[in-house]
């Protein structure tokens, strides 16, 4: 396998020699080896990677078939679309560490929801999206249909009704790239998101039924079938960005199949890499070293394992740049 020769890749080859930078290169090379072997790759998105505009690199990864399934939080699912339709009204607060409680309240009063140094505009982002997605929920309920959370957003994107609002290059939206490919998605804990909260509010008001959106258990059942089908001949790698439920939920499909369903021919994940700034501590799963996952029946002794202890908003685009030969 030859290393890529794009300008970013060349810079990495010259300067990334030790510590986390070397781990980054090792993980990127091993990711490519998985693809060369015909294995598929799951990418998991925690934190606020969509607000960090990871779509600028992840969308091209999807288009080039270097990502085959994504697990993400409900926030990452919707925030890519919010950035797509309301980018000009986002506000950056580089001095966020110095804000007083009163200044934070002023942001709230102004309809600006802060994510570290970036504020998402309530009216332009949330409400602009809400009316379109509500119609998809309501139409499905009228037809006695049920869909997963991401499928409603795919429908909204593919209907082209959001194009009137686009404020960034649509090529930089990973959700649009995923919708166009009908990329498999898993969104555990979707209820813990703005659209999840909005959906719950309609259920409380009696305007929608909770069953109109499929549940997390149904995601797990679907994932079990997808994993079994796609490991019939090849393996599936696991590239985890951050920690939390986006990674914890899907990685458990393997021990569930192996232990709970007693399908002892189930393949372990064929590769594992986590980008994390969480340190190993008492009971910290996000900070646990990959070897701990062997004891839970998720990885095997010979599974290539990497951990890059750094800022995912820096590391993930670099790994993707390597894989895209940028």
């Amino acid at each position: 396998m030859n290393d890529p020769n794009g300008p970013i890749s060349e810079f990495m080859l010259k300067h990334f020699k030790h510590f986390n930078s070397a781990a980054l290169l090792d993980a990127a090379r091993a990711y490519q080896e998985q693809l060369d072997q015909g294995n598929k790759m799951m990418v998991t998105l925690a934190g606020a990677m969509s607000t960090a505009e990871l779509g600028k690199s992840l969308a091209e990864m999807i288009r080039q078939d270097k990502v085959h399934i994504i697990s993400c939080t409900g926030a990452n699912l919707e925030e890519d679309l919010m950035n797509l339709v309301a980018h000009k009204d986002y506000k950056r607060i580089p001095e966020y560490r110095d804000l007083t409680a009163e200044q934070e309240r002023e942001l709230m009063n102004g309809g600006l929801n802060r994510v570290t140094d970036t504020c998402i505009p309530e009216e332009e982002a949330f409400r602009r999206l809400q009316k379109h997605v509500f119609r998809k929920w309501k139409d499905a309920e009228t037809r006695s249909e049920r869909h997963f959370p991401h499928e409603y957003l795919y429908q909204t994107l593919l209907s082209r009704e959001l194009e009137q609002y686009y404020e960034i290059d649509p090529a930089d939206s990973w959700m649009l790239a995923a919708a166009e490919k009908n990329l498999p998605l898993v969104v555990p804990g979707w209820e813990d998101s703005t659209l999840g909260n909005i959906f719950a509010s309609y259920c409380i008001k009696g305007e929608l039924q909770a069953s109109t959106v499929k549940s997390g258990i149904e995601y797990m059942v679907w994932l079990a079938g997808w994993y079994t089908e796609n490991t019939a001949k090849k393996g599936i790698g696991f590239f985890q960005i951050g920690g939390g439920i986006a990674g914890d939920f899907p990685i458990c499909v393997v021990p569930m199949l192996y232990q709970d369903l007693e399908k002892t021919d189930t393949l372990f994940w064929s590769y594992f890499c986590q980008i994390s700034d969480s340190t190993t501590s008492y009971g910290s799963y996000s900070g646990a070293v990959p070897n701990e996952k062997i004891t839970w029946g998720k990885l095997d002794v010979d599974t290539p394992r990497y951990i890059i202890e750094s800022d995912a908003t820096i590391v993930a685009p670099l790994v993707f740049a390597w894989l895209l030969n940028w």
Side-chain angles (χ1 to χ4, degrees), residues 39 42 292:
N39 292 343
M42 169 178 274
E292 187 173 302

Side-chain angles (χ1 to χ4, degrees), residues 1 28-39 304 306 323:
M1 180 185 68
R29 283 186 171 116
Y31 189 132
Q32 185 60 55
E33 287 174 1
Q34 291 290 306
L35 299 180
D36 292 343
Q37 292 167 16
N39 292 343
Y306 306 90
L323 296 163

Side-chain angles (χ1 to χ4, degrees), residues 198-218:
I198 290 170
F199 179 77
S201 75
Y202 284 121
C203 294
I204 292 168
K205 291 184 289 187
E207 297 181 36
L208 290 171
Q209 298 292 322
S211 59
T212 299
V213 175
K214 290 184 178 180
S215 69
I217 293 297
E218 288 170 288

Side-chain angles (χ1 to χ4, degrees), residues 45-197:
L45 304 177
M49 296 306 297
S50 290
T51 297
E53 300 188 62
L54 186 63
K56 289 177 177 289
S57 55
L58 179 57
E60 188 62 21
M61 288 282 290
I62 293 169
R63 285 190 288 269
Q64 292 195 23
D65 296 317
K66 296 180 185 292
V67 177
H68 305 92
I69 183 171
I70 288 176
S71 172
C72 71
T73 58
N76 276 299
L77 182 75
E78 66 197 14
E79 287 174 10
D80 181 82
L81 270 66
M82 292 173 185
N83 182 60
L84 177 64
V85 304
H87 181 77
K88 293 177 182 176
D89 291 292
Y90 278 59
K91 182 177 180 181
R92 186 160 180 263
I93 314 275
E95 71 281 8
Y96 68 92
R97 292 181 179 86
D98 303 321
L99 295 179
T100 65
E102 289 74 20
Q103 288 173 313
E104 300 277 22
R105 181 56 189 260
E106 287 174 11
L107 290 174
M108 188 203 80
N109 291 343
L112 293 168
N113 305 122
R114 186 170 70 81
V115 182
T116 312
D117 69 346
T118 302
C119 291
I120 302 174
E122 175 88 25
E123 192 64 32
E124 293 81 3
F126 300 127
R127 304 308 167 196
R128 186 171 288 174
L129 200 57
Q130 176 179 347
K131 58 187 177 183
H132 295 280
V133 181
F134 172 76
R135 284 201 295 269
K136 295 294 183 289
W137 291 332
K138 195 65 178 176
D139 289 347
E141 191 165 297
T142 301
R143 297 190 297 267
S144 299
E145 295 177 0
R146 303 176 64 243
H147 302 287
F148 285 118
H150 75 275
E151 292 177 318
Y152 286 109
L153 295 189
Y154 276 7
Q155 292 169 19
T156 304
L157 284 165
L158 296 177
S159 72
R160 303 171 71 92
E161 59 197 72
L162 295 181
E163 286 186 356
Q164 59 185 306
Y165 309 121
Y166 285 2
E167 295 187 354
I168 64 168
D169 184 344
D172 290 340
S173 166
W174 74 263
M175 271 291 291
L176 183 56
E180 290 172 345
K181 274 189 169 289
N182 195 26
L183 189 79
L185 251 64
V186 177
V187 191
W190 173 75
E191 301 82 2
D192 179 25
S193 67
T194 298
L195 284 177
N197 292 169

Side-chain angles (χ1 to χ4, degrees), residues 224-293:
W226 184 91
Y227 188 90
T228 300
E229 178 183 350
N230 284 274
T231 52
K233 295 181 179 180
K234 295 288 183 177
I236 300 173
F238 198 95
F239 188 81
Q240 181 173 348
I241 301 176
I245 194 172
D248 298 350
F249 180 93
I251 203 169
C252 289
V253 74
V254 169
M256 184 195 72
L257 288 166
Y258 191 100
Q259 299 170 12
D260 303 323
L261 286 169
E262 300 181 352
K263 294 185 176 182
T264 54
D265 58 344
T266 299
L267 296 182
F268 293 104
W269 295 97
S270 63
Y271 161 102
F272 177 82
C273 175
Q274 181 179 8
I275 305 170
S276 175
D277 60 1
S278 179
T279 56
T280 301
S281 184
Y282 303 103
S284 168
Y285 185 75
S286 294
V289 296
N291 281 8
E292 187 173 302
K293 292 173 174 57

